[in-house]
Structure formats: C-alpha cells, structure tokens
Amino acid sequence: MALTLAALRRDAWVALCGRDVLSIRDLTSDELLSLIALGADLKRDPGQCAGALSGRTIAMLFEKPSLRTRVSLDVASHQLGAHAIYLAPQDVGLGQRESIHDVARTLEHMVDAIVLRTFAHDTVEQLAAAASVPVINALSDFSHPCQALADFLTMHENRGTWRGLRLAFVGDGNNVATSLIFGAALLGVRMTIATPPGYEPRPDVLRWAHQHEVEPGIACRVTSVPEDAVEEADVIYTDTWISMGQEAEAEARRHAFAHFQVTAKLFERARPDAIFMHCLPAHRGQEVASDVIDGRRSRVFQQAANRLHTEKALLVALLGGGRWTS
Ligand code: CP
Ligand code: NVA
C-alpha cells in the first residue's frame, strides 16, 4: 500500500507551520504520519516542491560530526530553493563564546529556521525557547527525530504498513532508540528493546509511549534478552554502543554490550523476510556482524537515502512552503 497524502488531514499541516521539532513526542500521530507521507510523495515526485522555500535561509549549527544529517539537510534546502549556512562548533561557540539565548535572538532576525546538533538536549530546548523561528533537533543526547522520520518511511516501503509490525531494537536505549519508541507508539508499531541492565530507555520515555500508544498494548516492551526481542520480528534495528559524547565510557560499554551484537544466528529467530536497519555510522564486529549489515536483508542505505526526502518534508511543513499549508 503506497503512502499518500490524499487521506491526510489538512489540520496537521496548519498545526506544523512555525513549530519546533525537538523530538518525535512533539508530534501527534496525524502530524507524524503527514510528515512521512509527504516525504514519500516528494521521493516519488521531487519536482512538486522545487523552489517551495525560495529565498529562505536555514542556519545549521553542528557541535558534533555528521555525514548523513548535514548533507541531507543541505541538499534538501538546496532542492527546495533555500540557502543553508553550515556553522561548525568553533564558528559559534554556543554557550561559550556567546549565550544560547543571544545566539537565538541574533539568528532569528537573519534566518527562517535553525537546525542544531548538540550534546545536551537541554541546549536545543533553550535555543528553541529563545528563538522565534522553528528549531529542528539534528541529534541531541536524548533524541534524533530526523532519523526516525526516515526510518519509519523505510519500514513502510518494505512492509506496506506500520500497524502490527514488530520492531526489535537490540542495543543501547539511546537517542535513536528513544525516537523510535515515540514514533512506534504513534504509528502502531509493536516495539521491543533488548538492552543490558542499566542501559534501558528512560522511564519517562516508556511512560510517554504507554500513554500515547494508538493501539492498546503496543508500546515498547523492555527485555535484557536479545533472543526474546527478535523472536518473529519484522525489523531488527541496532545502533552504536558508544554514542558521540560517551567516548570515556567506551570500555565499560563494550563489555556491557558484548552479548548484544546482531549476528546472523540472532537473525534466524526473526521472520524469514525480516529486514535489518541501522542509522549509521556502523561498527562492524561490534553492534552488528558484517554479514548482517552487508547482507541482502540490510536496508541501511535505503534509510540513509530517505533522510533527504523526509527532511525536505519537515522543512516544507515547518516553514510553510507547501500547498498543503497555504
Ligand atoms: N544517522 C546519522 O544521523 O548520521 P550522521 O551522524 O552522519 O549525521
Ligand atoms: N546514537 C548515535 C547516533 C549517531 C547518528 C550517537 O548519538 O552518536
């Protein structure tokens, strides 16, 4: 079943215009669905929003390295007719050379949106509170909403639905896992996460998912046994054991996660047509075995490619550049 905008509610577009997206939990189920559907639409017909953001400018502040997020947002801006300005950590010195508040109040008079990749989620919240223009979280220690948009599109492309889909996340209860937990609850995906004790998602994340699940009982279940999580799964997902900013914990984390590698043997427990997903960058021989990530079930580059389409949808929606928001 192809995703289509025809069935979507116009109110979602009106509501999204001018908003911040710091986390998937900032969205309603309709808004999330609308964004992903527009991403699918733009993938099928990239011309329909060409120039939609002509004359607009987007500041992109990155305090951490990035390949996919930086390039996809830059290309997305270009294809929509907007100008993206990349600002490296040393260019701005957010909160050091200048307060977050003053950076926000300066940029809001010059640009139409601010994208921020940072360490503490509190930084992106402070920036969004101070800036009058939309702020997009391009990854914080708490969430990675841009990644989840592309991931749910990828799942739909491979399975034709989200309802009832079984998603097994094996690894750290980190920013990527958190965004998937929120999105899964809103889209009806039945998610299980397998983490070593002490690396589970935050209790408030799990509580939110339970409170917002669109079908009773689908919200994320937690186990410490990877074999349980992947049983009959449609999708097996993993991410690095050591996120950016956690380098000092590397040794302890490698030890804690030693039995959480996604191997071909683990994969045998999933459905015969199960797919493998990873946000990238990946570490072969750590969180995933080479034969899994490089095998025929892997969809990691489809995920990466979808970043462009779903981020175009996000920019069009927040900056009011679409015919749906007029
Ligand atoms: N998945 C992802 O966000 O990749 P980058 O860190 O390269 O942007
Ligand atoms: N959890 C990883 C995701 C990288 C895209 C990190 O934060 O480093």
Side-chain angles (χ1 to χ4, degrees), residues 133-157:
V133 294
V135 171
I136 297 172
N137 179 7
L139 183 146
S140 66
D141 60 358
F142 175 65
S143 81
H144 195 2
C146 296
Q147 181 67 48
L149 293 176
D151 293 344
F152 285 111
L153 172 58
T154 308
M155 288 178 214
H156 200 284
E157 287 175 335

Side-chain angles (χ1 to χ4, degrees), residues 62 65-71 117 138-139 144 147 176 244 278-281 307:
F62 278 65
S66 172
L67 173 67
R68 281 147 290 272
T69 310
R70 178 180 169 184
V71 175
R117 170 169 285 204
L139 183 146
H144 195 2
Q147 181 67 48
V176 170
M244 293 177 275
H278 190 310
C279 59
L280 304 178
R307 297 289 304 270

Side-chain angles (χ1 to χ4, degrees), residues 58-268:
I58 298 160
M60 305 205 306
L61 280 69
F62 278 65
E63 299 194 303
K64 290 172 172 172
S66 172
L67 173 67
R68 281 147 290 272
T69 310
R70 178 180 169 184
V71 175
S72 57
L73 282 164
D74 199 326
V75 174
S77 305
H78 177 73
Q79 291 186 0
L80 295 170
H83 174 54
I85 304 172
Y86 174 75
L87 295 154
Q90 63 272 20
D91 294 334
V92 179
L94 189 63
Q96 289 163 0
R97 179 172 182 265
E98 195 163 2
S99 73
I100 297 167
H101 173 271
D102 289 1
V103 170
R105 297 299 311 276
T106 300
L107 284 177
E108 70 183 11
H109 296 291
M110 301 179 184
V111 303
D112 300 282
I114 306 171
V115 169
L116 175 62
R117 170 169 285 204
T118 190
F119 290 88
H121 190 69
D122 181 56
T123 304
V124 71
E125 286 183 337
Q126 284 186 47
L127 188 82
S132 59
V133 294
V135 171
I136 297 172
N137 179 7
L139 183 146
S140 66
D141 60 358
F142 175 65
S143 81
H144 195 2
C146 296
Q147 181 67 48
L149 293 176
D151 293 344
F152 285 111
L153 172 58
T154 308
M155 288 178 214
H156 200 284
E157 287 175 335
N158 281 277
R159 284 290 179 277
T161 185
W162 294 297
R163 294 278 165 146
L165 204 71
R166 289 179 186 270
L167 166 62
F169 188 102
V170 179
D172 191 14
N174 64 13
N175 44 9
V176 170
T178 294
S179 299
L180 290 171
I181 290 170
F182 292 144
L186 292 175
L187 295 171
V189 173
R190 197 174 283 276
M191 181 168 169
T192 305
I193 181 165
T195 71
Y199 294 94
E200 298 91 351
R202 286 180 3 193
D204 62 300
V205 168
L206 297 169
R207 225 174 10 252
W208 188 96
H210 281 285
Q211 285 163 356
H212 293 83
E213 61 186 9
V214 292
E215 277 179 35
I218 56 124
C220 188
R221 192 173 67 83
V222 182
T223 173
S224 56
V225 184
E227 288 77 9
D228 284 356
V230 303
E231 201 69 51
E232 288 299 304
D234 297 281
V235 181
I236 299 183
Y237 198 122
T238 191
D239 181 19
T240 184
W241 296 336
I242 304 146
S243 286
M244 293 177 275
Q246 296 174 334
E247 292 76 10
E249 301 169 32
E251 203 181 317
R253 285 177 163 270
R254 273 192 207 103
H255 182 73
F257 286 95
H259 301 295
F260 284 74
Q261 184 182 105
V262 177
T263 59
K265 189 164 185 292
L266 190 68
F267 226 96
E268 279 171 18

